[in-house]
Amino acid sequence: MEADGELLALWQSAVMEDTAIRIRLPIPADGLPPTAGITVEPHRPEEVRATDRRDVLRLGVAAPTMAAALALAENASHALSAQPSEWTVAQLDEGTTAIAESYWSTPHDQLLATLLDCYQQAESIGRATRLPAAQARISGIAGQYAYYLARLGYHSGDRRLATAFGVVAEQYAAAAEDPLLSGAVAGLRSCSAFNASRYAEAARVAEAALRAPDVHEYTAPRLAAYLASAEAAAGRPPRARAALERMNELPLPATRLPGPGHFDPAERTLYHALTLAELDDPVAPHHAQNAIEIYPSEHVEGSALAWCALARGLSQDDPGQAANAAVHALTLSNTWPAATVVQRARRVHAQLTVDHRHAPEVIALGKKLDIPATIV
């Protein structure tokens, strides 16, 4: 009978030691202190007294469980009071603006590595603190890096990257209640729909974001430009021209902010050209030439899109020059490949092949796009 009591005591000690190890409590070199003795009825070995059951629960199980609960409370208290390193957060915050400035001049692979590293740092900081103010700030920063990753996926043609981080960025924007980030994500969604030839959807997304009561003044003119281009491609000229008027009425941002590119006079001129070219307006080539002349050379995608606008604008009256302009756009884009340029050049090629598929310039454009001759 005494052996039964000893086994219970050994079991009790083993439970305590195992629990202590799991919750990482220090264990003395000579082991845990002995537990209270367990008394077993000498004449009824199969039954433990009620008072002994309470002792087992109180001393054998409840003590380490309570220690675990206290450890959880301590960890939660640390998380709720932990302030992330201000220096690290400030560096990550500054990085969102630095990326905006260097985005167009950084090779895709370098950009991807930098963005992933910064995003992971922001994510780690966000998980380490539960302070509401700190979490709101780091959510906005992590959301910006998620947006840049989605944007890189969009420009590089990696739809998986664009979709995955686009969803994450949208969630961060909602969590941080950040209208700048929300507008950036909406603009990217509109562009993605446009590139997939879902023009009505592209217009709907841009218009909804533009009508939001908290739309940010930095993203508003860009959203209006996306709306105009999408409405024109969807074959709705009155809506497209109304969106162009809205774009012209909105003030241009004075300074660059994190997120979408700085919507400046060159970009406004570009979207005039792109929209009017979609509408087959005869003044479209003039606007495209203006955009080509004023676009900064380091902004490869914008310069190439200006040549695409010229190609689209010339497609009715001068198919040969239109094809040459599209080829030039693709050549420019070689230094910073952008799926947006390829998509617009493909649309020009598709239009030209309806009546001019045998023109040598059109054939050259098809080869530049790696389109087999049998398709055209």
Side-chain angles (χ1 to χ4, degrees):
M1 302 305 174
E2 291 178 0
D4 288 339
E6 184 178 351
L7 286 173
L8 283 171
L10 290 172
W11 170 80
Q12 182 180 357
S13 297
V15 169
M16 291 180 66
E17 185 168 344
D18 179 67
T19 305
I21 291 171
R22 283 189 288 106
I23 65 174
R24 300 180 180 178
L25 291 177
I27 300 175
D30 55 350
L32 293 170
T35 59
I38 304 299
T39 304
V40 180
E41 288 279 358
H43 300 295
R44 302 176 64 184
E46 74 284 356
E47 183 180 333
V48 180
R49 291 203 313 256
T51 55
D52 293 330
R53 287 195 186 95
R54 287 195 296 271
D55 286 343
V56 171
L57 290 173
R58 178 169 56 83
L59 298 175
V61 178
T65 302
M66 180 60 69
L70 293 175
L72 286 173
E74 181 182 12
N75 291 338
S77 178
H78 286 164
L80 286 167
S81 60
Q83 283 281 5
S85 165
E86 179 58 32
W87 188 89
T88 302
V89 174
Q91 291 296 309
L92 288 171
D93 198 1
E94 170 61 25
T96 61
T97 302
I99 291 294
E101 295 171 348
S102 62
Y103 184 87
W104 299 112
S105 59
T106 306
H108 291 177
D109 55 346
Q110 293 180 26
L111 199 53
L112 178 61
T114 299
L115 291 173
L116 282 174
D117 180 60
C118 292
Y119 173 74
Q120 288 172 339
Q121 287 186 59
E123 271 277 284
S124 297
I125 293 172
R127 288 195 300 268
T129 182
R130 296 182 191 174
L131 286 172
Q135 280 203 325
R137 183 182 179 194
I138 202 65
S139 290
I141 294 171
Q144 285 291 351
Y145 285 114
Y147 162 76
Y148 282 130
L149 284 163
R151 181 180 170 190
L152 178 60
Y154 164 71
H155 282 128
S156 65
D158 190 327
R159 286 183 291 182
R160 294 175 303 172
L161 184 68
T163 300
F165 279 98
V167 170
V168 173
E170 190 168 18
Q171 291 172 322
Y172 268 120
E177 297 182 346
D178 186 340
L180 174 60
L181 182 56
S182 295
V185 173
L188 189 59
R189 286 178 54 214
S190 177
C191 289
S192 296
F194 188 101
N195 256 24
S197 302
R198 301 194 304 269
Y199 307 121
E201 178 185 340
R204 185 169 59 253
V205 171
E207 184 174 25
L210 192 58
R211 290 180 180 273
D214 61 345
V215 61
H216 199 283
E217 60 183 8
Y218 184 81
T219 57
R222 177 173 295 281
L223 289 168
Y226 292 163
L227 175 60
S229 180
E231 293 286 17
R236 299 189 287 222
R239 293 187 182 185
R241 294 185 185 277
L244 277 183
E245 290 180 11
R246 179 74 186 278
M247 180 189 73
N248 288 330
E249 293 169 356
L250 289 166
L252 296 179
T255 57
R256 185 191 304 275
L257 295 179
H262 185 202
F263 197 83
D264 56 13
E267 196 138 17
R268 184 164 60 184
T269 303
L270 169 65
Y271 274 92
H272 260 293
L274 289 170
T275 302
L276 294 178
E278 292 287 346
L279 297 175
D280 294 323
D281 192 305
V283 301
H286 171 72
H287 284 278
Q289 287 285 3
N290 287 343
I292 290 169
E293 291 173 6
I294 66 176
Y295 238 105
S297 58
E298 64 271 15
H299 194 321
V300 176
E301 189 219 27
S303 298
L305 287 177
W307 281 93
C308 286
L310 179 62
R312 182 70 172 81
L314 293 173
S315 59
Q316 296 290 333
D317 298 330
D318 195 338
Q321 286 302 312
N324 288 339
V327 167
H328 187 69
L330 293 168
T331 302
L332 281 177
S333 187
N334 285 340
T335 59
W336 201 92
T340 50
V341 176
V342 174
Q343 190 269 351
R344 289 202 179 254
R346 280 181 172 273
R347 294 182 71 228
V348 170
H349 180 262
Q351 184 184 24
L352 292 175
T353 54
V354 173
D355 297 316
H356 309 285
R357 69 173 60 200
H358 299 299
E361 298 90 346
V362 176
I363 293 173
L365 174 57
K367 289 181 179 178
K368 187 75 172 177
L369 289 165
D370 292 325
I371 297 177
T374 53
I375 292 181
V376 301

